[in-house]
Amino acid sequence: PPVDDPPASMLAEEAIAVLKRKIDRLGPVNMMAIEEFDELETRHAFLSTQRKDLVDSIAQTTEAITRIDETTKVRFRDAFTAIQQNFQQMFATLFGGGHAGLSLLDENDPLESGIDIVASPPGKRLQSVQLLSGGEKALTAIALMFAIFKYKPSPFCLLDEIDAPLDDANVARFVEMLQGMLD
C-alpha cells in the first residue's frame, strides 16, 4: 500500500522514517536533468522543423508532379490528334486513297498507353498494320513518320533504305512526298 502523509498520532521518529522511505523510493537525484532536458528540447525542436520541411517538400513535389502530368496529358492529346490527322492525309496521299488511323490502347491513361495503328489501303478493309504486306507496311510507316515531321519538323532526317521494300510506283509517290516536305 502506498505510504501517504503520516497520521497525526504518529510519533516524530515514525514520521521521519516514513518520509525517509518516500525519499529513498524516489531514487537518486539527477543533477544534470535540467541540462539534459534543454538539450533534448533543442533536439526535438530541430527534428520537428526538419520533419515539417520534409512533409512540406513532399506535398510540393506531389503537387508539381500532378501539374506536370496534367500539362503532359494535354500536350500529348493535342500532339496525338494533330499527328493522327496528318497521318490520315499522308496515308491517303502515299496510297492514292484509303484510310488510316491511330488509337490509344488505354484511353484512361494516355501517357502509359500503347498506340495501335490501323490501315486500309484502297480496295482493302480496315486492319491492323501487322496484316499488311511488306511494301504496305513501309508506306504506312513512311506516312506516320511524315505525319510526325509535319507536326514537329526535324532539321535533318536519315532515311537509309526506307524505300527498299517499295515498288517503282510507290517509290515515285514517296519521292514526290519527300520533295513536298522539303519546305
Side-chain angles (χ1 to χ4, degrees):
V3 179
D4 296 320
D5 292 331
S9 64
M10 199 184 265
L11 295 174
E13 290 82 26
E14 290 174 343
I16 290 172
V18 168
L19 290 174
K20 280 186 179 180
R21 282 195 304 268
K22 279 186 175 180
I23 291 172
D24 287 344
R25 277 200 333 245
L26 288 175
V29 175
N30 182 357
M31 302 304 279
M32 302 296 292
I34 293 173
E35 291 158 3
E36 288 175 6
F37 175 79
D38 289 341
E39 287 175 17
L40 289 174
E41 187 175 42
T42 303
R43 179 80 175 143
H44 179 265
F46 172 76
L47 291 175
S48 295
T49 303
Q50 293 293 311
R51 181 185 181 284
K52 183 185 179 307
D53 288 348
L54 284 173
V55 169
D56 291 347
S57 294
I58 290 169
Q60 290 171 354
T61 302
T62 302
E63 182 182 317
I65 289 170
T66 301
R67 281 195 323 265
I68 289 169
D69 279 351
E70 290 304 315
T71 302
T72 304
K73 283 179 186 176
V74 168
R75 287 186 178 179
F76 177 80
R77 288 213 183 268
D78 292 346
F80 184 79
T81 301
I83 291 170
Q84 181 166 344
Q85 291 171 353
N86 294 344
F87 179 50
Q88 292 168 353
Q89 293 168 356
M90 297 294 177
F91 185 88
T93 301
L94 280 174
F95 278 92
H99 301 283
L102 304 173
S103 63
L104 295 174
L105 296 177
D106 183 2
E107 291 282 338
N108 297 326
D109 191 7
L111 300 180
E112 297 295 325
S113 174
I115 296 174
D116 193 22
I117 302 171
V118 291
S120 174
K124 292 190 175 181
R125 62 181 177 79
L126 197 64
Q127 58 190 352
S128 171
V129 74
Q130 297 299 325
L131 301 175
L132 299 175
S133 70
E136 290 169 335
K137 283 181 186 178
L139 274 182
T140 303
I142 291 168
L144 181 57
M145 182 185 66
F146 281 134
I148 294 170
F149 285 158
K150 189 173 180 182
Y151 175 74
K152 183 85 172 176
S154 176
F156 65 92
C157 177
L158 182 63
L159 302 171
D160 185 29
E161 297 290 325
I162 196 168
D163 61 333
L166 303 179
D167 60 16
D168 290 338
N170 287 330
V171 168
R173 283 193 200 121
F174 167 67
V175 170
E176 186 178 311
M177 179 170 281
L178 188 59
Q179 288 173 339
M181 291 295 289
L182 290 177
D183 293 337

